[in-house]
Each structure stands twice: as C-alpha cells, then as structure tokens.
Amino acid sequence: MDPIKDRVRRGYSRSWVVRKYATIGLWPSEDRLCRTYWSPGASILDIGCGAGRTTIPLATQGFEVTGIDISLPMIRKGSGFSRRSGVRAAWAVADAADLAFADCTFDGLLFSYNGIELIPGAEGKAHAIDESWRVLKP
C-alpha cells in the first residue's frame, strides 16, 4: 500500500478522530446542494464517509446511501450508529481510487470535506475522479 494512503488510514482510525466525525452532520451548504440536485430515493455514493457525518443525514432524508471509507474504525462507528438508530444505509471499507461497483450504479456521488485532498498525488486524485465518473449513471 502507498505509504501516504496508509498514513491517512491510520490517522483517520484514531478514536478521537472517529468520535469527531460521528457528530458533525451535514453542513448547510451540503444540505442545500443535495436537496437541490437529488430527489429522495436517489442512490448516492458517499465517498470518504467517515463515521457517517453525511451518510446518516442523507439516509434520513430518503436517499439510498452507500457510505465508503478507507478507515475500518470509521465504517464500524457509522454502521453501528446507523444500525442502533434504525437508519438504513450500506457501509463498506473501500478505496476511492478502486471502486468495487459496476459502471453506472449511482444517481449521485458525494466526496465531502477534505477527502479528495487525502488521496496521494495528482495521478491518484485523477484516478479517483475517473472511478467516480465510471460508477455514476449518465
């Protein structure tokens, strides 16, 4: 594994970071954008979802959300909260540069906050964007 990617994974696996990202929620600008461009029932891929900061609010608004993150502790925290609160969402540990989804799977995609910045190098970021386009419906 790329040493930078491994450092990101370890950093976002720290317990205090996981707790922080479990409590923030959608920012007003994110909420406005999602409600403007997506309709309830749309299938959304939430890349770099962390502990569910964006996944859970989107699911409660009626979107069919799949949250992915490179950090297993983040996914465990988000999926555990989701399960306990009855919020339906799919969760998976995954790498944004290697998405294990078929072409044209999702109606929308969210790569919120600083997730794209944490992908190593310009080439890595470009590959993640290519993968994002690949899994989006036309």
Side-chain angles (χ1 to χ4, degrees):
M1 168 169 288
D2 181 291
I4 295 172
K5 195 177 285 187
D6 188 49
R7 188 172 30 194
V8 169
R9 176 182 284 129
R10 283 181 291 143
Y12 280 85
S13 295
R14 294 180 181 148
S15 60
W16 71 269
V17 176
V18 173
R19 279 192 310 274
K20 176 183 176 187
Y21 280 86
T23 60
I24 298 172
L26 281 174
W27 296 340
S29 58
E30 292 169 332
D31 183 55
R32 195 167 38 257
L33 283 168
C34 293
R35 289 177 189 265
T36 299
Y37 293 103
W38 301 331
S39 299
S43 59
I44 307 300
L45 178 61
D46 189 2
I47 299 177
C49 68
R53 177 185 81 78
T54 50
T55 307
I56 292 170
L58 289 172
T60 61
Q61 291 177 12
F63 299 107
E64 294 179 19
V65 187
T66 300
I68 66 167
D69 199 279
I70 198 167
S71 166
L72 177 59
M74 287 285 195
I75 292 297
R76 283 182 177 154
K77 182 77 167 184
S79 64
F81 178 75
S82 175
R83 192 172 38 260
R84 286 188 305 277
S85 60
V87 174
R88 188 171 168 261
W91 302 85
V93 175
D95 185 337
D98 187 22
L99 298 174
F101 301 102
D103 295 358
C104 306
T105 300
F106 298 97
D107 296 311
L109 182 141
L110 181 65
F111 208 142
S112 56
Y113 193 52
N114 62 348
I116 193 89
E117 280 296 311
L118 297 172
I119 296 173
E123 191 173 297
K125 289 172 181 58
H127 188 68
I129 291 169
D130 288 344
E131 278 288 274
S132 296
W133 277 113
R134 180 184 65 75
V135 302
L136 282 173
K137 293 177 184 174

